[in-house]
Each structure stands twice: as C-alpha cells, then as structure tokens.
Amino acid sequence: MQLFYNPHISETTDSFTFDKDESRHIVKVLRKNMGDTLHITNGKGWLFSAEITRDAIKKCEAKITAKELQKPLNYNLHLAVAPTKMNDRFEWFLEKATEIGITTITPIICDHSERHVIKYDRYEKIVQSAMKQSLNCYMPTLNEAIPFSEFIRQPFTGQLFIAHCEDQIKKPLKHEINSGAPITILIGPEGDFSVKEIETAIKNKFIPVTLGETRLRTETAAIVACHSVAFVNETL
C-alpha cells in the first residue's frame, strides 16, 4: 500500500483535490486512472480510502469511499535533541525516529552546539515522508528550534531524563522507563551538555541516564533512546 498525506482532509470530507505536484505524481508517475483507489492520511490518525474521479495531471480529484481511525502509539515520547553539525545526520535521526515511533521532536540549541540554525521546512518534509513510508497515520509534532535555557523552563509531565557523558551516577534508561508513561528525554550536541545545563536539568527534576557502555554520536543516542522507549512499550 502506498500512503499519501493531506493535512486538510477530515472525517467529514467527502471529496478533495490534490495539489499540482501530487496530481502529477499520481497520474504521470504512478499511472493511476479514474476509478483507482488511493490511501490517504491526514496525519491525525485517520486512514482514508479514496476513488479517483478525475485523473488530470494538474488537478487530480477523488472522493472518500471509506475511513478508519487508527490506534495511536500507546506511549507519548518527546525527544529534545541538539541539531548535529552535519545536517544529514539529524535528518537521518528524524527519519528513523518517525519510523520507530515518536510523538514530539524539539531541536534544542545548547552551550556546545555547533549548529544554531535548522531547515524547518526540509525537516518537516522528511518527517512527512517517513510517516508515509512507514504507513503511519500519526504525524509527529516537529517544533521549531529553541534554546536549552528556554526549553528547560517549560512545564513538563511524566518521566524526565537527560542523557549525558559526564562522570556521575547515572541510571540505565532502559531500566527506568515506565510503560505507558509520558516521557521527555534530552539528548545533547557532539560536545555534550555543559555542566551548567546538566545541573539546571537536574534541578528541574530530569534524571541523569546512560544509554550504554560506549560513547554515542548525538543522532545514535537519540535513536537508542527512541527505540528503548518503543521496546518497553511494545505490545504483542
């Protein structure tokens, strides 16, 4: 099944028109014709079946024939991750985290960050593409980049963790995760969080954790954290 994304469709929508780019892709590339069925999500959990009623390259139209609300993740994971110096590494993280399962992603700018500007529109497209590829009907929330000092002052609920490399007592993340609990995890830049940032996080009730015995790159650490939460919450 190939999944399309259209954020403007709702459960009350009867028919709609694809934009020019998607219309061309459907008709010219995929060679879909009138009467063919497409599957679309609005990123809010709904999976729609739609029948093509007009197969024009510049204006493909379809009518909804069936709809179903998919089950959401049985957990809520918010990863706050410092953007990597090499942009493609952060993009890799966005893609894989979306495939594994994540609720919210916030790029945080830290004291040791080497990248302070992100390409939000490009990042959002990567998340959309990964959602469609993995046949997921829930679009993770991608926030704009925010300084660590501002992020840490927000109100938080659930379990709070910070993964860092400083020599101090840290608990293994996989042993601390409570199934079904909302979780926020902080992942620092290549140069790690500063001592001040770690102290600030701990004062704000973030628990220091380790992700394993080896030192991990930022994007690897984020994926390990994401997978650990998904694994603990896995249902058979």
Side-chain angles (χ1 to χ4, degrees), residues 152-213:
I152 204 69
R153 292 200 301 267
Q154 299 180 81
F156 297 101
T157 59
Q159 294 188 283
L160 308 176
F161 301 109
I162 177 170
H164 66 80
C165 301
E166 287 292 316
D167 289 331
Q168 62 173 240
I169 297 176
K170 292 176 285 189
K171 300 179 179 181
L173 174 64
K174 60 184 179 181
H175 295 161
E176 297 298 310
I177 299 168
N178 294 330
S179 179
I183 297 176
T184 301
I185 304 175
L186 306 177
I187 305 292
E190 285 93 331
D192 201 6
F193 290 110
S194 66
V195 172
K196 179 181 178 181
E197 288 171 334
I198 295 172
E199 292 175 347
T200 301
I202 293 173
K203 288 179 181 178
N204 283 273
K205 301 182 179 180
F206 280 79
I207 299 172
V209 292
T210 176
L211 300 174
E213 298 297 325

Side-chain angles (χ1 to χ4, degrees), residues 54-81:
R54 184 184 181 191
D55 54 6
I57 291 178
K58 294 184 179 181
K59 191 175 183 181
C60 180
E61 299 176 356
K63 65 177 181 180
I64 301 296
T65 57
K67 59 187 176 184
E68 180 181 359
L69 184 61
Q70 304 295 294
K71 289 178 62 176
L73 290 173
N74 62 336
Y75 58 92
N76 188 306
L77 172 60
H78 185 173
L79 279 184
V81 185

Side-chain angles (χ1 to χ4, degrees), residues 87-165:
N87 200 49
D88 60 339
R89 290 179 179 171
F90 196 80
E91 292 176 358
W92 177 84
F93 149 68
L94 292 172
E95 179 182 79
K96 302 312 174 188
T98 301
E99 292 177 13
I100 293 169
I102 192 169
T103 314
T104 307
I105 302 167
T106 301
I108 51 173
I109 309 303
C110 304
D111 290 342
H112 297 159
S113 289
E114 295 188 68
R115 177 175 292 277
H116 295 80
V117 178
I118 68 167
K119 301 177 180 179
Y120 181 84
D121 291 342
R122 178 173 171 79
Y123 286 0
E124 190 173 51
K125 288 179 180 178
I126 289 171
V127 171
Q128 289 180 15
S129 179
M131 177 193 69
K132 293 188 291 183
Q133 188 278 329
S134 58
L135 302 182
N136 181 7
C137 291
Y138 287 88
M139 173 80 78
T141 298
L142 175 64
N143 293 322
E144 294 278 2
I146 183 174
F148 174 91
S149 58
E150 292 183 25
F151 180 85
I152 204 69
R153 292 200 301 267
Q154 299 180 81
F156 297 101
T157 59
Q159 294 188 283
L160 308 176
F161 301 109
I162 177 170
H164 66 80
C165 301

Side-chain angles (χ1 to χ4, degrees), residues 38-56:
L38 302 174
H39 298 93
I40 310 103
T41 183
N42 60 1
K44 301 178 181 69
W46 285 96
L47 176 63
F48 303 95
S49 295
E51 179 184 327
I52 297 177
T53 55
R54 184 184 181 191
D55 54 6

